[in-house]
Amino acid sequence: MINDELWYKDAVFYEVAVRAFKDSNGDGHGDLTGLTEKLDYLYELGVDCIWLMPIYPSPLNDDGYDIANYYNIAATFGTLDDFKALIDEAHKRNIRIVMDLVLNHTSSEHPWFQAARADRNSPYRDYYVWSDTEDKYRDARIIFIDTEPSNWTWDELAGQYYWHRFYASQPDLNFDNTRVQEEMINIARFWLDLGIDGFRADAVPYLFEREGTNCENLPETHAYLKRLRAFMDQNYPGRILLCEANQWPEDVRPYFGDGDEFHMGFHFPIMPRIFMALKKGHAHDMIEILDRTPAIPESCQWCIFLRNHDELTLEMVTPQERQWMWEQYAPEPRMRLNLGIRRRLAPLLDNDRRKIELSHSLLFTLPGSPIIYYGDEIGMGDNIDLPDRNGVRTPMQWDDSPNGGFTTGRPAIESIAGKLGYQHLNVARQLADKDSLFHAISKMIRVRKQHPVFGRGRMEWKETGNPAVLAYRREYQAETILILNNLSEASQTVRLEA
Ligand code: BGC
């Protein structure tokens, strides 16, 4: 592999739901060997780093973000040996792999929680956050507002309430307990020793709770994350931490520290504003949020995305903007979930090839490293009949054979029917057609990779005198690139100063 410690600044990332990607053994579930078989496809697309959604044993109340064992792989995904084979094969192609590390909570089925609830004197009791009443930490918001009435749930066996920021089946760990802190470092060590290139650290703002605060982004949380980073730098240089903090830019900024906390952080607020720009035909909202985004240390990088496995979150917009986004992009109530929109990229953009390419032009040229959600490179659709976020986690559509080439068995997850079904829209067809969306995106990726300015360069807006055309200059070392995006339906004329 190319040995550059700042590799993530130039990389194109690709998020994979292993469950939905490729089944190698006909049991109906996507698995690690299936993903290994498809590495050549990802290589052809131009991907540098894969992010694996959780692959740990789990009761799947939250699609694997509810972990029951941090030291193994769910049987349907394969074995630790399959995992090592995947890493080896990926590395041979100069592709890195990062995986989800869920620090904030476990599954309620995790043996720690089972021991904790069964016995007040168990050493595991204090691994979680308990209370006799529901009165503590009232200022913490509820995140899954569609399903959770409270962040506290009564546990009959324990005889107390326990704290959880997500589903009740995901009790929060108590990071005030130094043994919990150690456990997570040991877990990280285990996967790093297997060769993983880093972690997407899930839901990090919520690690600690303090009365009188909203229990997000607390100094104690940053102190612990810095410790995790120091551990990685000391023992595993070149491996990265990617921060999932769905927060305003000024609140994400501290997660980069002085270059001693996270290497990368998702830029959540720019995402809905890209969709606003595409609909409004001007980029005022994008400009405003990027101007408000603080500078980050040289060694750090934003990670930008159009869609991911969750709902298109509308937490980082005003209530009026959220209403507008719902009206524009989620006309049917069942398209909404919590404070977001549970739809995929192509249907959101009316399956309009020009809009899809324009959105990728923004994704690949704005400051940061881009991440593509599996299937968006072929314009895959969604299935809003499926509950929760499952409608955007349907099987990858490889070809027009039964089940779209996802499995030779009975698929454990439902696919998409209709004109975006695998019979019409699939990888094989797009690979064979040089004018397909796949080839257009893979070409954009190749262009991006020829010019380090996209990952590393400074950015400056350029006045065009025409709000429909968003122009900016990227500059790095001897190279300067001018980028123009026409956000309107029609041809536009602009005048640019030299
Ligand atoms: C993940 C979600 C998950 C939640 C709880 C998030 O930020 O992206 O899919 O439900 O964390 O783990």
Side-chain angles (χ1 to χ4, degrees):
M1 277 203 310
I2 296 171
N3 196 7
D4 173 359
E5 282 199 11
L6 296 181
W7 60 269
Y8 50 91
K9 296 198 74 165
D10 305 308
V12 173
F13 287 72
Y14 187 90
E15 178 186 1
V16 175
V18 178
R19 188 182 323 291
F21 205 58
K22 172 71 186 168
D23 170 19
S24 69
N25 61 5
D27 69 356
H29 299 270
D31 50 42
L32 293 171
T33 304
L35 173 56
T36 307
E37 286 169 9
K38 293 297 182 186
L39 285 172
D40 286 334
Y41 165 74
L42 297 179
Y43 182 80
E44 182 165 357
L45 179 60
V47 168
D48 302 292
C49 183
I50 298 168
W51 153 29
L52 301 179
M53 283 171 64
I55 54 173
Y56 312 85
S58 160
L60 300 181
N61 288 326
D62 187 5
D63 208 5
Y65 284 93
D66 45 331
I67 298 175
N69 177 357
Y70 283 86
Y71 291 99
N72 211 338
I73 284 169
T76 55
F77 290 144
T79 62
L80 285 167
D81 280 338
D82 296 339
F83 183 68
K84 281 190 255 176
L86 168 66
I87 294 178
D88 282 350
E89 287 303 315
H91 285 176
K92 277 185 201 157
R93 291 162 179 80
N94 208 27
I95 296 177
R96 288 180 164 87
I97 302 197
V98 300
M99 69 191 299
D100 255 298
L101 180 65
V102 184
L103 300 149
N104 181 65
H105 46 266
T106 69
S107 159
S108 53
E109 291 185 21
H110 194 291
W112 296 340
F113 189 70
Q114 289 303 324
R117 60 195 288 258
D119 178 4
R120 266 180 201 254
N121 299 317
S122 158
Y124 293 107
R125 182 73 165 202
D126 193 43
Y127 271 40
Y128 296 88
V129 182
W130 300 95
S131 173
D132 292 329
T133 69
E134 281 186 279
D135 299 335
K136 285 166 91 176
Y137 314 135
R138 283 277 172 203
D139 297 333
R141 70 192 164 116
I142 293 169
I143 297 169
F144 285 172
I145 52 168
D146 284 2
T147 44
E148 301 305 313
S150 166
N151 286 325
W152 290 108
T153 289
W154 176 256
D155 187 86
E156 202 52 56
L157 188 61
Q160 279 191 305
Y161 291 94
Y162 63 91
W163 179 250
H164 56 90
R165 294 307 301 271
F166 296 93
Y167 287 129
S169 55
Q170 292 165 296
D172 270 38
L173 285 162
N174 173 20
F175 271 82
D176 275 318
N177 182 340
T178 52
R179 291 186 56 189
V180 167
Q181 299 189 9
E182 282 310 313
E183 294 276 10
M184 278 302 155
I185 294 203
N186 290 336
I187 289 162
R189 182 184 293 115
F190 175 80
W191 294 98
L192 290 161
D193 283 343
L194 287 173
I196 199 83
D197 296 292
F199 300 106
R200 178 242 189 213
D202 182 67
V204 290
Y206 321 109
L207 300 189
F208 285 80
E209 298 75 35
R210 290 291 178 265
E211 203 54 76
T213 74
N214 67 357
C215 298
E216 300 188 12
N217 313 320
L218 298 180
E220 294 83 350
T221 295
H222 287 292
Y224 177 69
L225 293 168
K226 282 196 167 71
R227 203 180 134 204
L228 176 62
R229 168 65 184 267
F231 158 77
M232 287 187 52
D233 280 356
Q234 213 164 30
N235 301 287
Y236 306 94
R239 323 277 188 103
I240 63 157
L241 282 172
L242 163 59
C243 171
E244 195 229 3
N246 185 355
Q247 304 281 330
W248 292 101
E250 50 278 17
D251 295 324
V252 180
R253 173 62 189 84
Y255 287 94
F256 295 110
D258 295 322
D260 57 355
E261 203 168 316
F262 279 91
H263 301 78
M264 301 185 77
F266 288 112
H267 199 306
F268 274 91
I270 185 64
M271 182 274 296
R273 289 168 178 79
I274 293 177
F275 288 91
M276 290 179 195
L278 293 171
K279 201 62 121 186
K280 293 182 180 177
H282 68 73
H284 298 336
D285 308 290
M286 285 176 60
I287 295 172
E288 188 258 335
I289 204 75
L290 288 182
D291 284 351
R292 161 178 173 184
T293 298
I296 57 176
E298 194 62 31
S299 61
C300 295
Q301 179 75 319
W302 291 106
C303 189
I304 52 176
F305 60 99
L306 298 167
R307 290 294 297 111
N308 63 18
H309 65 288
D310 286 326
E311 68 276 25
L312 187 168
T313 150
L314 297 173
E315 275 158 332
M316 296 300 127
V317 297
T318 64
Q320 295 76 9
E321 288 170 330
R322 185 176 307 132
Q323 200 53 44
W324 184 87
M325 283 290 289
W326 273 333
E327 283 160 15
Q328 300 297 322
Y329 284 109
E332 288 184 46
R334 66 192 179 130
M335 293 172 173
R336 301 174 192 178
L337 179 70
N338 298 317
L339 291 184
I341 299 174
R342 49 188 209 101
R343 301 185 69 198
R344 258 198 189 260
L345 183 68
L348 282 167
L349 301 184
D350 311 316
N351 302 305
D352 179 330
R353 174 73 181 267
R354 291 184 315 159
K355 289 186 199 163
I356 296 172
E357 285 190 25
L358 175 60
S359 67
H360 282 88
S361 158
L362 293 164
L363 178 70
F364 292 139
T365 59
L366 288 169
S369 293
I371 181 154
I372 298 168
Y373 184 49
Y374 85 95
D376 281 350
E377 75 278 17
I378 56 167
M380 242 167 73
D382 50 34
N383 180 348
I384 55 169
D385 292 335
L386 300 177
D388 200 345
R389 291 148 291 176
N390 296 351
V392 301
R393 302 175 184 178
T394 58
M396 183 69 175
Q397 298 174 190
W398 294 105
D399 53 43
D400 59 9
S401 69
N403 306 315
F406 163 65
T407 178
T408 53
R410 242 189 73 198
I413 45 179
E414 234 179 278
S415 9
I416 292 165
K419 68 180 188 336
L420 297 185
Y422 60 77
Q423 297 86 345
H424 314 286
L425 187 143
N426 61 58
V427 168
R429 189 180 278 202
Q430 296 205 13
L431 284 176
D433 172 5
K434 67 175 180 20
D435 296 322
S436 66
L437 179 63
F438 173 89
H439 286 298
I441 289 183
S442 130
K443 186 170 163 209
M444 286 191 213
I445 293 177
R446 277 201 303 281
V447 171
R448 179 185 162 97
K449 285 163 74 161
Q450 281 159 16
H451 302 277
V453 65
F454 290 115
R456 305 205 181 203
R458 292 192 300 116
M459 176 191 162
E460 186 182 290
W461 303 115
K462 291 293 285 177
E463 190 46 64
T464 64
N466 179 345
V469 180
L470 177 64
Y472 39 97
R473 215 164 64 145
R474 303 292 312 271
E475 203 178 311
Y476 181 65
Q477 294 176 345
E479 189 171 39
T480 302
I481 289 192
L482 175 69
I483 296 137
L484 296 167
N485 294 285
N486 176 359
L487 301 168
S488 77
E489 296 277 339
S491 304
Q492 298 288 332
T493 313
V494 289
R495 255 196 114 75
L496 283 159
E497 300 298 325

